[in-house]
């Protein structure tokens, strides 16, 4: 009284089993390649745009502020150690 049923496709020849195996292997390799690509994209460093060369007002302001800060430091040190 037991029924012999399977949930998958039934294969009758070794050739059909070999064909299915080849098809599954091809799908697995395709999925593996896709996973590898996604993993590389996930952990890749973002590309930094190339620095613009030429005149940039922000660079001029930053360098000017640094020079002014240095001059103020020299002036303070001079006044502190020059007095007798």
């Amino acid at each position: 009284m037991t029924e012999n049923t399977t949930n998958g496709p039934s294969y009758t020849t070794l050739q059909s089993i070999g064909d299915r195996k080849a098809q599954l292997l091809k799908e697995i390799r395709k999925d593996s390649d896709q996973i590898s690509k996604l993993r590389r994209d996930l952990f890749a460093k973002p590309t930094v745009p190339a620095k613009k060369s030429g005149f940039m007002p922000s660079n001029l302001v930053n360098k000017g502020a640094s020079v002014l800060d240095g001059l103020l430091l020299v002036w303070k040190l001079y006044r502190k150690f020059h007095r007798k």
Side-chain angles (χ1 to χ4, degrees), residues 4-12 17 20 24:
N4 193 5
T5 60
T6 58
N7 292 337
S10 61
Y11 301 106
T12 56
I17 293 172
R20 178 69 176 150
L24 289 174

Side-chain angles (χ1 to χ4, degrees), residues 18-31:
D19 292 343
R20 178 69 176 150
K21 180 181 175 184
Q23 179 187 7
L24 289 174
L25 184 61
K26 185 178 179 182
E27 290 175 7
I28 288 171
R29 286 185 178 153
K30 185 177 92 175
D31 290 343

